[in-house]
Amino acid sequence: MSSASPSPRIIAPGIRHRHFLRVPLLAAALALAACGPATLPPGDTIADASEAQNRAVHRFNVSLDRALVGPAANAYGNAIPRPVRRGVSNFASNLNQPGYVLNDLLQLRVEDAVRNTLRFAVNTTVGIGGLFDPATAIGLPAEETGFGETMHVYGLGEGDYHVLPVFGPSTTRDSVGLVLDFALNPLRHVVEPPETGYLTGARVLARFGDRHDFAGTIEDVLYGSEDSYVTMRSLYLQNRRFELGGGSQDAYFDPYAGGEPGAAADIHADPYLDPYGQ
C-alpha cells in the first residue's frame, strides 16, 4: 500500500516535535503519552513501499528490546533513584540545546533561537551543567526541533515510512534529519574525547530511563497489540504529522514531574486502529 506523501505544511511558530527516535518502541509510548488524539487531514495516506524490510527491522528491534533494552532499562530504573535519573535526563536534554538553536536559525525563528540560547546558558551555569532545570521554572521551556522539521519548513515531503535499527519508526525525511542532527550538533565540534564518550553515555542512560518510565505503555503496544508493527506505524505517523501540522505539545508528559511513571494523557482514539490500513 503506497501513495503520494502529503503536501508539506509550514508549521505554526512555537510548535515543536519531541525526539522519539532514541530507543526501540519509545516512539509509540510517547505518542500515547505526549498528546491527545491526532486528527489527520482528509486524504492523508501512508507510503510504506518497503514494508517487508521494515517488518524485518521491527522484529529485530522487538527482539533487542526483549533481550537487552528492556531488562537493562528496568535494572537501571530500579537501581538508580528517580532524582538521579532526572538529573541524567536533564543533562542529556541540555546537550541538545545548541542543535535546537541552529535549527531555529535555519527556520528563521529568531525568538525561539534566543529562548533556547538563554535556556542553555541558564541550565549550564545555574543548573550545574544541565543536571538541574531552573530554566523551565523561570519560563524558558525547551523549544525542541531538528533537521527533520527544518526540511519540512522548507517544503520537503516526508517520503516513505521506515523502521531504523535501534532507533525505531521514522520517515525518509526524518531519517536524513537524524543523521544531520548528529553530524551538525555544535557540541560535536567543541567537545573532544574522552568527554564525547561521557556525553554519549549520558544520552544512553537517559533513554534507558525513558524506557523504564514508559515500560507499561511500551509493552502494551509491543506485546499486547495484534500487530505491533501496524500499531507503531500508525502512532508514529499520526503524532509526527499532528506536530508538523501545528498540533499542540501542551499535553507532553514529564515522567519526573509527579504522578505515576508512564501515565498517559487522555486518548479518545483507539491506538490499535490503523487508519491507513487497506
Side-chain angles (χ1 to χ4, degrees):
M1 47 186 180
S2 63
S3 60
S5 57
S7 58
R9 294 180 286 268
I10 301 298
I11 61 176
I15 300 304
R16 286 292 176 266
H17 87 280
R18 299 188 179 269
H19 289 264
F20 302 127
L21 312 178
R22 294 297 182 268
V23 250
L25 319 175
L26 185 58
L30 295 186
L32 282 173
C35 67
T39 303
L40 297 178
D44 266 20
T45 51
I46 177 177
D48 191 0
S50 303
E51 180 171 347
Q53 177 180 333
N54 286 336
R55 283 185 176 273
V57 176
H58 174 73
R59 288 193 295 270
F60 167 79
N61 286 345
V62 170
S63 298
L64 184 65
D65 181 82
R66 188 191 302 272
L68 176 62
V69 176
N74 288 335
Y76 171 72
N78 292 332
I80 305 301
R82 180 182 288 195
V84 177
R85 299 201 312 271
R86 178 167 188 166
V88 173
S89 180
N90 288 341
F91 177 77
S93 176
N94 197 51
L95 298 177
N96 294 323
Q97 289 295 138
Y100 299 159
V101 174
L102 175 59
N103 278 282
D104 286 332
L105 293 174
L106 291 174
Q107 296 168 24
L108 305 181
R109 291 190 168 93
V110 177
E111 181 178 346
D112 285 348
V114 171
R115 290 173 62 85
N116 275 327
T117 300
L118 291 174
R119 175 182 172 83
F120 181 69
V122 169
N123 282 352
T124 301
T125 55
V126 181
I128 312 177
L131 292 174
F132 300 95
D133 183 16
T136 296
I138 63 173
L140 291 172
E143 301 290 346
E144 300 189 12
T145 185
F147 276 96
E149 183 171 346
T150 298
M151 288 186 286
H152 166 80
V153 166
Y154 283 95
L156 276 71
E158 70 180 17
D160 284 351
Y161 175 75
H162 298 289
V163 181
L164 304 178
V166 179
F167 291 94
S170 187
T171 61
T172 303
R173 180 180 60 208
D174 284 340
S175 297
V176 174
L178 185 64
V179 174
L180 293 174
D181 285 334
F182 172 78
L184 299 181
N185 187 320
L187 283 183
R188 289 194 69 249
H189 305 283
V190 176
V191 181
E192 298 180 353
E195 286 78 10
T196 52
Y198 304 151
L199 302 187
T200 300
R203 287 187 170 104
V204 171
L205 289 177
R207 302 291 70 81
F208 279 165
D210 290 338
R211 174 62 177 85
H212 174 268
D213 290 316
F214 290 101
T217 307
I218 290 172
E219 290 164 11
D220 185 44
V221 169
L222 178 60
Y223 305 116
S225 56
E226 182 177 351
D227 186 338
S228 60
Y229 173 81
V230 168
T231 301
M232 291 188 63
R233 180 179 65 189
S234 176
L235 287 171
Y236 175 80
L237 290 175
Q238 286 188 59
N239 189 61
R240 189 68 170 120
R241 292 171 179 179
F242 181 64
E243 292 158 351
L244 295 182
S248 173
Q249 291 288 334
D250 292 343
Y252 176 70
F253 178 79
D254 180 355
Y256 302 108
E260 293 298 321
D266 181 28
I267 301 295
H268 303 288
D270 180 0
Y272 303 121
L273 175 63
D274 180 8
Y276 311 106
Q278 298 297 319

